[in-house]
Amino acid sequence: MKVLFGPTIMSLEEALGDLRERFPAVEFEYCPQIADLNQAIRTADVFVGSMTEDLFQQAGRLKWIQSPSSGVDKYLSIPQLAAGDVLLTSASGTHGPGLAESTLGTMLAFNRGLLTSVFRQQARQWSAGELRPVLLELTGMTLGIVGFGAFGQHLAERARAFGMHILAIDIRPLPKPDYVSRLGTPDRLDDLLSESDYVVVALPLTPETENLITAEKIALMKPSAMLLAMSRGGIVDQDAVARALREGRLRAAALEVMRPEPLPADSYLWDIENLLITSHIAGGTQYERRYVIEIFCENLDRMLAGNLPLRNQVDKDAGF
């Protein structure tokens, strides 16, 4: 069996030495240049990395793709992959802690005057009189989590420690943890939006979730609320968010993910007051590579033993 590693943002190839020791019967190859992948993938049984339609068409004997990302919408946009027999596994669960901490960090940056303080420091301006009267704490606030997968669950656990009330919805029937006040189905989305002080979008991008948070949905939220799009671009209407902020119908918002990515330098979104834009970085941690490799190793063990399904094996019909 031949396993091909493509270039990844978390440098997964640094684990190849350990992988060769652990799986001596497996041939591992690393192809650092995207331009060379079309040739290298022709003899690969397993691929670890990002996939394009052109690259997939060159993969004559591929049996399994391990995504280093939790989301797999870009993989499933390849018709031959979505309809075919090649297994696809995600890195779901590896980015939950980082995403949860980044989400809370974003909320605190607004609530505790940290964003404003950065700019005031650059101006050498002491701002106690301006900032202290408007600072907020999370105690007693309601957090609405749209999508209760690994990320949503990690976020709920941490938010409860801040004394927040937790509401969540998910498409799957899940047991409600004690620290969650209500865990409902998607038909409760409007209730969640209207009741929450903070709404966090933690869904995968699928045909069912694309454009889910429209201008009409945003209009249900409190003017004092904050909306955070943290999972995938295309779920939240970015233009509607901008209008709501400009018109004072939302207190603040954050876009960790957007459409397109990278966000063009000339996009008007960069200049929207009370909108924090981060560059799809929230899943990163010092443990990210280790988490992804752990999933890959477990799956390679299963693959070699013929023990299916694999961990995080994607349901191509469901989209995750």
Side-chain angles (χ1 to χ4, degrees):
M1 176 179 286
K2 177 180 174 180
V3 176
L4 174 65
F5 276 67
T8 59
I9 196 170
M10 65 279 292
S11 301
L12 296 178
E13 71 277 1
E14 293 185 11
L16 284 176
D18 293 336
L19 290 173
R20 290 186 176 108
E21 289 186 13
R22 178 168 174 175
F23 301 97
V26 175
E27 177 187 355
F28 291 93
E29 180 182 345
Y30 170 52
C31 183
Q33 301 300 324
I34 294 177
D36 298 330
L37 280 174
N38 280 359
Q39 180 64 36
I41 204 169
R42 292 176 181 176
T43 56
D45 301 286
V46 179
F47 179 67
V48 182
S50 299
M51 180 62 68
T52 65
E53 183 172 357
D54 180 60
L55 182 60
F56 186 76
Q57 290 175 342
Q58 307 302 316
R61 59 188 236 193
L62 203 61
K63 301 179 180 65
W64 161 40
I65 299 169
Q66 172 68 60
S67 166
S69 170
S70 296
V72 293
D73 47 286
K74 292 182 179 179
Y75 295 83
L76 295 179
S77 69
I78 301 170
Q80 303 93 324
L81 173 54
D85 296 329
V86 175
L87 301 178
L88 175 63
T89 55
S90 75
S92 178
T94 63
H95 304 104
L99 278 163
E101 293 177 16
S102 289
T103 302
L104 286 168
T106 300
M107 293 157 60
L108 294 170
F110 278 99
N111 286 5
R112 307 308 304 161
L114 302 180
L115 280 177
T116 304
S117 293
V118 169
F119 295 110
R120 297 296 182 269
Q121 180 178 345
Q122 293 171 350
R124 303 191 177 203
Q125 180 179 343
W126 190 261
S127 303
E130 173 193 0
L131 293 179
R132 190 169 182 124
V134 298
L135 298 184
L136 302 172
E137 61 180 274
L138 295 176
T139 308
M141 296 289 189
T142 297
L143 170 63
I145 304 175
V146 185
F148 205 59
F151 162 35
Q153 292 169 33
H154 280 288
L155 176 59
E157 291 172 356
R158 287 159 171 77
R160 189 67 187 93
F162 282 89
M164 301 188 78
H165 302 297
I166 315 298
L167 308 177
I169 61 171
D170 198 88
I171 192 172
R172 301 161 298 173
L174 298 170
K176 185 183 78 66
D178 292 339
Y179 52 82
V180 172
S181 299
R182 187 176 75 227
L183 175 56
T185 50
D187 62 302
R188 299 298 302 272
L189 174 60
D190 289 0
D191 295 332
L192 180 148
L193 293 172
S194 63
E195 296 173 31
S196 298
D197 300 296
Y198 303 85
V199 173
V200 177
V201 178
L203 292 164
L205 178 61
T206 69
E208 288 71 32
T209 64
E210 188 167 14
N211 298 318
L212 178 68
I213 307 299
T214 60
E216 291 74 20
K217 296 297 184 185
I218 293 171
L220 299 173
M221 297 176 62
K222 303 175 183 178
S224 59
M226 180 177 182
L227 175 63
L228 302 97
M230 302 297 295
S231 55
R232 276 294 182 272
I235 300 173
V236 173
D237 184 336
Q238 300 167 182
D239 294 327
V241 172
R243 288 194 299 271
L245 290 170
R246 282 176 165 169
E247 296 169 6
R249 293 183 288 106
L250 273 183
R251 175 174 68 91
L255 296 177
E256 153 70 5
V257 291
M258 55 218 75
R259 180 181 281 179
E261 292 183 5
L263 187 67
D266 61 356
S267 171
Y268 77 98
L269 292 174
W270 294 107
D271 300 317
I272 300 295
E273 188 175 359
N274 288 344
L275 173 63
L276 177 62
I277 293 174
T278 50
S279 304
H280 206 147
I281 59 171
T285 83
Q286 72 272 39
Y287 304 121
E288 184 178 16
R289 179 167 60 246
R290 188 184 79 188
Y291 292 154
V292 175
I293 291 298
E294 285 174 353
I295 291 176
F296 170 73
C297 287
E298 179 180 337
N299 278 337
L300 186 54
D301 275 326
R302 292 189 185 189
M303 192 75 173
L304 292 170
N307 183 16
L308 300 178
L310 303 179
R311 178 178 170 185
N312 290 349
Q313 184 168 321
V314 173
D315 181 334
K316 295 179 181 179
D317 292 327
F320 58 89

